[in-house]
Amino acid sequence: MPDSPAPAPPSTAPESPATPPAPRSSRFGRSGWLLLVLLFLIAAICLRYALDGPRPWGTEVTRRIEAGQELRVKEWAIIGLWWGCAVSAGIGALLLLTARLWMPGGSNAPRRPAPPPAAVKAVFYPVMGLLILMAAVERVPRLRQSLWNDEEYSMRRYAHGSWEEVKPERWEFEPVSWQDTLFKNANGNNHLLHSALSRLSLEGWRFFTGAERSEFKESALRMPSFIAGLFTLLAVALIGVELGGTWVGLGAAALLALHPWHLRYAVEARGYSLMLLGICVAVMALMHAIRRDKVLSWSIFALAQAAFLLSFAGSLHVAVLLNAAAAWELLRRREARRLRTLIGFNLLSAIPLLVWMLASVPQILEFLKREEILATPIGVQWMIDVGCHLAAGVLPSNPDAARHVGTSWVDQAVGMPGWEILLKYLLPSLALTGLFLSLRRPLAGRLGILAITLAAATAITQNYANGESMLSWYLLYLLIPLALAVPLALATLAPGGARTAGALIVLMVASYAIVTRPVRKIYITHDRQPIRQAVASYRDPHPEAISASLGVSDRQILSYDPRAQILQQPSDLPPLIQQARQQRRPLFIALCGHETTRQRDPELFTAVTESGNFELKKTLPGLEAMFSYEIWQLKPLPVSPP
């Protein structure tokens, strides 16, 4: 037998002491202390404003109240900012004093170890890059399209300004103040974060191009939405990877990139694209926060939640259900103590909302009292409309086809083979299957699919129970669970498992791309409302012309033609005709929405189209008849015989 090895001599080195307990100052870690310092600074700034800033009971506000005058944006900003800062200072103080109760780590740490990050195959990165490039190529042409009704209104009221006639035939440009951009919300349609970003984008464009303050560029206005739309594809792909692997993530990004509804709103100069990005980032961050309990993840969740609420307040139900799902997850894991962390970071998220958004709340409530907002009651037809948009981004029907270049579900079902098989039967079946599968899936499924779907169901139920209505695009965030649920269902039901899941997802994406291609082409190549083209049709050849606007969104023409007169009643027309005759200048009427205008204002419509004084010079179809233009020109007087 071999000799046994000699025992090692005893070590003469000093014995290593046991690792000392971490000092109390390391309880929060570097990132935790950085967060607390930032919170202290924010709370101090809010407190300073509450002590020294204008107050709701100050002279400026009380003077108007005592005089029985309506409060202006200035007064609402004073009220909202003061209360927002005062409450935020209190929240900041509470969070600082109770930091040991709600900060991550310590007794709030997860009981189970965090799972390893989802494995990403090498194919993910090049394919994801191609998807983003493809999406950008399809969306860039839409940057240059004319603004349509909602975009022009938002730009004129919140991000740019308008021309005002100070004297006859003399106009001056009045820029929007930053106070209006940040706090004006008299009609409840200021998407605050987008208004601020689009204004900064416009000002950056002017700075680099040397453009005048009165000039604007559609692409600059839309750039924040465009960038957010592309980043949303990456965010939803990362959620998909956590949900079911590389191919589920790529499939989700591809479906979203190809979806006509996303193609449209990911470029529109409104807050919806930013909302989608904020929701996706919030889902990702919340998922990592629950699993790994990092200060950075919790902080990103708080900021992303505030961002999507500031982008579109109608996403409130998403915030509520995301937090409810997170709370349920913590309870399911028997980590009830971590609810304090969830509550703490929600309070942190509330600070920017209170400071920025509180001024809007009374304005919106006043608007709701005095206006009937919508005429789209929730019922069978409304559900069909939502379903058509969710499946393919189109209207169920698009009447008066001779006056527009748009499309609809009915049109595509007739002209595109496989439309109804794929979009009416297969896509909804896969989406519902993915929804049920999300119940048994990792956290990504419950947050990214189930919670957002339940948020939409809650919003619909609430509005229906209150006898109110809502527009279909208020549920645009349903695109996120749809894009995730379909590839999840395919990956789970694939007969060969992971070996065939990728092929099935690619086949589904390719089929969707082919079937919806005509719709995307229409959205890419045609303006929804060709306001700019309508103005150019008469203003370019006749810069001296007298012009007027009539019909749907009549005032939206003013950003492109500040000199246009708005026709509101038949008596407005004869003075313009007389002026054109006397000054020997051409007179053009831009009529938007032929049939809608005929029904809303029959006398004025008849005076332009049937009196014999005007002739139709040009038609400019939009994507819907109500947003299509007719350009009518005053006929010259007949020449009397000698």
Side-chain angles (χ1 to χ4, degrees):
M1 291 181 64
D3 293 336
S4 299
S11 174
T12 58
E15 185 174 336
S16 299
T19 304
R24 294 179 65 85
S25 60
S26 67
R27 159 67 173 83
F28 304 130
R30 290 183 180 179
S31 56
W33 280 110
L34 178 59
L35 175 63
L36 293 177
V37 169
L38 290 174
L39 179 58
F40 174 80
L41 293 175
I42 292 170
I45 292 171
C46 289
L47 179 61
R48 178 65 183 270
Y49 185 89
L51 293 174
D52 298 340
R55 303 183 182 187
W57 54 86
T59 305
E60 292 181 85
V61 177
T62 56
R63 184 182 299 160
R64 292 191 68 86
I65 294 176
E66 291 171 357
Q69 298 174 318
E70 287 190 4
L71 298 184
R72 301 165 298 181
V73 179
K74 182 179 181 180
E75 288 80 42
W76 287 127
I78 290 173
I79 296 171
L81 267 178
W82 190 90
W83 281 108
C85 286
V87 176
S88 295
I91 290 175
L94 176 64
L95 291 175
L96 288 169
L97 292 172
T98 60
R100 289 188 175 276
L101 295 178
W102 61 271
M103 283 288 283
S107 61
N108 295 329
R111 297 181 59 181
R112 65 179 71 176
V120 178
K121 295 181 180 179
V123 72
F124 178 83
Y125 298 103
V127 173
M128 194 66 231
L130 287 174
L131 286 175
I132 292 176
L133 179 61
M134 177 205 72
V137 168
E138 282 203 326
R139 285 154 176 74
V140 163
R142 296 207 63 244
L143 288 171
R144 300 187 291 268
Q145 291 180 356
S146 171
L147 301 178
W148 80 285
N149 181 83
D150 291 13
E151 292 178 301
E152 191 280 338
Y153 179 91
S154 297
M155 182 192 74
R156 177 162 41 91
R157 288 296 190 94
Y158 309 128
H160 180 52
S162 60
W163 290 89
E164 302 295 336
E165 189 173 11
V166 294
K167 293 181 180 179
E169 297 293 318
R170 181 184 171 186
W171 286 263
E172 289 185 1
F173 182 75
E174 292 188 6
V176 166
S177 69
W178 270 105
Q179 193 174 71
D180 286 344
T181 301
L182 299 176
F183 301 113
K184 185 175 184 178
N185 220 338
N187 292 333
N189 57 1
N190 185 0
H191 296 175
L192 298 170
L193 181 59
H194 178 269
S195 295
L197 293 177
S198 62
R199 177 168 185 167
L200 289 173
S201 181
L202 275 177
E203 293 189 356
W205 168 76
R206 294 190 197 102
F207 176 81
F208 287 109
T209 62
E212 296 293 331
R213 179 62 183 86
S214 59
E215 296 181 77
F216 68 91
K217 185 83 169 177
E218 292 93 345
S219 57
L221 188 75
R222 290 172 171 145
M223 192 56 63
S225 294
F226 172 76
I227 294 173
L230 297 182
F231 275 104
T232 302
L233 302 180
L234 177 59
V236 81
L238 293 176
I239 298 172
V241 169
E242 293 282 350
L243 180 62
T246 297
W247 287 109
V248 172
L250 291 174
L255 283 175
L256 193 59
L258 293 166
H259 202 292
W261 216 15
H262 188 261
L263 170 66
R264 177 172 154 188
Y265 281 101
V267 189
E268 185 164 304
R270 302 287 281 134
Y272 304 110
S273 185
L274 290 167
M275 173 196 69
L276 291 178
L277 176 60
I279 292 174
C280 287
V281 173
V283 168
M284 276 293 297
L286 185 57
M287 180 173 57
H288 285 285
I290 291 174
R291 287 176 175 173
R292 296 175 176 86
D293 202 42
K294 299 294 185 182
V295 171
L296 181 60
S297 298
W298 282 111
S299 301
I300 292 174
F301 161 68
L303 290 174
Q305 180 173 255
F308 73 70
L309 288 170
L310 287 168
S311 298
F312 178 54
S315 59
L316 176 63
H317 296 89
V318 177
V320 173
L321 267 296
L322 276 181
N323 281 282
W328 168 254
E329 183 68 23
L330 294 176
L331 293 174
R332 191 183 69 84
R333 293 169 176 240
R334 298 181 180 179
E335 297 174 351
R337 293 176 68 87
R338 298 182 65 200
L339 289 174
R340 300 179 303 191
T341 303
L342 180 65
I343 294 170
F345 279 92
N346 268 281
L347 289 173
L348 198 64
S349 180
I351 291 177
L353 291 171
L354 290 168
V355 173
W356 194 347
M357 206 170 187
L358 206 56
S360 294
V361 174
Q363 297 180 68
I364 295 172
L365 293 177
E366 286 294 322
F367 173 66
L368 294 174
K369 287 180 183 177
R370 68 176 185 267
E371 299 285 346
E372 184 174 342
I373 310 304
L374 304 171
T376 53
I378 296 175
V380 174
Q381 290 302 315
W382 182 87
M383 295 298 291
I384 292 173
D385 180 68
V386 172
C388 290
H389 280 95
L390 191 57
V394 294
L395 293 162
S397 62
N398 202 349
D400 207 0
R403 300 187 187 277
H404 66 76
V405 291
T407 188
S408 67
W409 183 282
V410 173
D411 297 334
Q412 292 299 313
V414 172
M416 172 56 68
W419 174 274
E420 291 210 334
I421 294 175
L422 183 70
L423 301 181
K424 186 176 181 180
Y425 299 108
L426 183 58
L427 188 75
S429 299
L430 290 172
L432 288 173
T433 302
L435 175 62
F436 286 113
L437 288 172
S438 69
L439 293 169
R440 302 175 59 85
R441 279 280 159 173
L443 181 58
R446 291 187 285 275
L447 293 179
I449 297 177
L450 184 61
I452 299 176
T453 304
L454 289 177
T458 304
I460 295 170
T461 303
Q462 179 184 341
N463 280 273
Y464 181 79
N466 294 337
E468 299 173 355
S469 56
M470 60 193 307
L471 296 169
S472 58
W473 57 84
Y474 290 0
L475 301 175
L476 185 69
Y477 51 76
L478 279 174
L479 285 179
I480 298 170
L482 174 72
L484 291 167
V486 171
L488 172 63
L490 289 169
T492 306
L493 301 177
R499 291 175 298 176
T500 58
L504 279 179
I505 291 171
V506 170
L507 180 61
M508 179 65 192
V509 168
S511 301
Y512 191 84
I514 293 170
V515 169
T516 59
R517 172 60 184 164
V519 179
R520 296 199 309 279
K521 185 177 181 181
I522 289 172
Y523 288 173
I524 292 168
T525 56
H526 295 287
D527 297 36
R528 184 178 187 185
Q529 185 176 0
I531 308 175
R532 185 183 63 226
Q533 295 87 331
V535 171
S537 70
Y538 61 81
R539 189 60 72 191
D540 287 353
H542 301 285
E544 79 286 1
I546 299 171
S547 61
S549 177
L550 166 66
V552 177
S553 61
D554 48 6
R555 296 183 183 277
Q556 271 58 36
I557 204 171
L558 295 176
S559 287
Y560 291 99
D561 185 7
R563 290 180 284 171
Q565 304 293 315
I566 307 301
L567 299 178
Q568 297 179 330
Q569 52 194 359
S571 59
D572 293 339
L573 196 55
L576 289 179
I577 296 175
Q578 183 180 6
Q579 181 185 1
R581 303 282 195 211
Q582 291 177 348
Q583 299 178 4
R584 297 186 178 183
R585 295 162 62 187
L587 169 61
F588 292 92
I589 308 293
L591 191 156
C592 184
H594 181 98
E595 185 62 24
T596 305
T597 304
R598 186 185 68 80
Q599 295 176 5
R600 291 181 181 177
D601 201 342
E603 291 186 43
L604 194 50
F605 176 86
T606 301
V608 173
T609 63
E610 300 177 16
S611 64
N613 291 326
F614 295 86
E615 58 181 337
L616 181 63
K617 297 296 291 184
K618 194 175 184 65
T619 59
L620 296 109
L623 294 185
E624 299 154 57
M626 70 180 300
F627 293 131
S628 300
Y629 278 90
E630 296 175 353
I631 306 300
W632 293 79
Q633 183 178 7
L634 180 66
K635 293 179 180 179
L637 289 172
V639 179
S640 302

